[in-house]
Amino acid sequence: MTRNRWMLFGFCSLGALMMGAASAHAQVTLPNVSLGFKSTNNPQEVVGTIKIIMLLTVLTLAPAILIMMTAFTRIIIVLSFMRQALGTQQMPPNQLLVGLALFLTFFIMSPVFNKINSEALQPYLNSQIAQEVAVEKALAPIRVFMFHQTRATDLELFIKLSKMEAPRTRADVPTTVLIPSFVLSELKTAFMIGFIVYLPFLVIDMVAASVLMAMGMMMLPPVVISLPFKIMLFVLVDGWSLLIGSLVKTFG
């Protein structure tokens, strides 16, 4: 008798859940999206379609824009050098390094993003400026940031490669020339910082190798002995705070 009661209670509960789900499903309204082709003689409709295609293209290239036009390149390269110098193989893992680099990029670029939001995005969303003006105003703070981090020699190199006339002011430099110049400068700066990061750990590796050779332990890899000492040195000097703090200050 008790078993039948529990079964009846279970069926009633299941029925109530199904009725509740059906009621919730009946209340949910989903948008209807239809895609198709039609002929039109209105130029505005054609222009609107082209703008949508261009917007989708920009969204597709958004990861490349984030990597190539922000501080991400320098940060991820320096963090990778740091991991290789420690010799910890996959510690920290790649996902953690990329996530840390992304959040550091947002932290460093926050003044630029705030300026873009206040001067370009919000006026455009409020229909105060046209789309072309919004794009120009959004690009201006990014260009200023890239100019501050770009070496003059790298900029001159790409100006010569583009075979264009020497620009009189920074405003005359095309963005297509500025971006590769900025990326090249970031690579140079990141490798210079990576070399400095490598030096103390290289000394520890050399000392460990010399001690093992003096003791006649040729078969023991020096990395096995030097790795704990490198980790201990990195922890004692508060390496992560020192590295991240110095890395962020390079963008000042």
Side-chain angles (χ1 to χ4, degrees):
M1 187 66 179
T2 304
R3 180 181 179 184
N4 294 334
R5 289 180 179 177
W6 281 109
M7 291 179 63
L8 180 61
F9 177 75
F11 284 125
C12 291
S13 301
L14 181 60
L17 290 174
M18 294 179 64
M19 291 179 63
S23 177
H25 179 71
Q27 296 176 359
V28 174
T29 58
L30 297 177
N32 185 17
V33 179
S34 60
L35 298 176
F37 297 92
K38 67 175 183 178
S39 59
T40 179
N41 295 324
N42 187 1
Q44 296 298 329
E45 294 184 2
V46 178
V47 172
T49 304
I50 294 176
K51 287 182 178 180
I52 293 176
I53 296 175
M54 293 178 63
L55 177 61
L56 293 176
T57 304
V58 171
L59 292 177
T60 304
L61 298 176
I65 295 174
L66 178 63
I67 292 175
M68 296 300 176
M69 300 175 65
T70 62
F72 183 84
T73 302
R74 184 188 305 183
I75 295 172
I76 192 63
I77 292 177
V78 172
L79 293 179
S80 300
F81 271 121
M82 186 75 248
R83 185 176 63 181
Q84 293 180 7
L86 281 172
T88 53
Q89 301 300 325
Q90 295 298 322
M91 278 301 150
N94 292 328
Q95 294 84 350
L96 182 58
L97 288 184
V98 172
L100 178 60
L102 281 175
F103 280 105
L104 287 176
T105 301
F106 294 148
F107 176 78
I108 294 171
M109 301 293 297
S110 58
V112 178
F113 293 155
N114 292 335
K115 193 171 183 179
I116 293 174
N117 180 60
S118 61
E119 297 183 359
L121 182 59
Q122 293 301 325
Y124 174 70
L125 294 178
N126 296 328
S127 301
Q128 298 176 358
I129 57 176
Q131 182 178 2
E132 293 77 8
V133 179
V135 172
E136 293 179 0
K137 289 190 174 183
L139 193 59
I142 300 179
R143 283 174 56 91
V144 172
F145 172 80
M146 289 192 294
F147 271 119
H148 287 168
Q149 306 300 326
T150 303
R151 291 180 173 84
T153 54
D154 297 331
L155 190 59
E156 292 175 1
L157 171 63
F158 281 95
I159 290 175
K160 291 180 180 179
L161 292 177
S162 63
K163 297 180 180 180
M164 59 175 292
E165 296 181 358
R168 298 180 179 179
T169 61
R170 288 184 173 183
D172 298 331
V173 178
T175 305
T176 54
V177 173
L178 176 59
I179 293 176
S181 305
F182 168 75
V183 174
L184 182 59
S185 296
E186 288 294 284
L187 290 175
K188 289 182 179 179
T189 304
F191 273 73
M192 291 173 61
I193 297 175
F195 172 75
I196 297 174
V197 167
Y198 246 103
L199 287 179
F201 301 105
L202 180 61
V203 172
I204 295 177
D205 286 332
M206 294 176 62
V207 171
S210 301
V211 171
L212 290 176
M213 290 182 63
M215 297 176 62
M217 304 175 66
M218 303 295 182
M219 302 301 294
L220 183 62
V223 179
V224 177
I225 303 300
S226 62
L227 179 59
F229 290 98
K230 289 191 289 187
I231 295 176
M232 181 181 66
L233 173 65
F234 192 69
V235 172
L236 290 177
V237 300
D238 197 9
W240 286 114
S241 298
L242 185 61
L243 176 66
I244 299 301
S246 301
L247 187 58
V248 171
K249 290 179 182 178
T250 59
F251 292 95

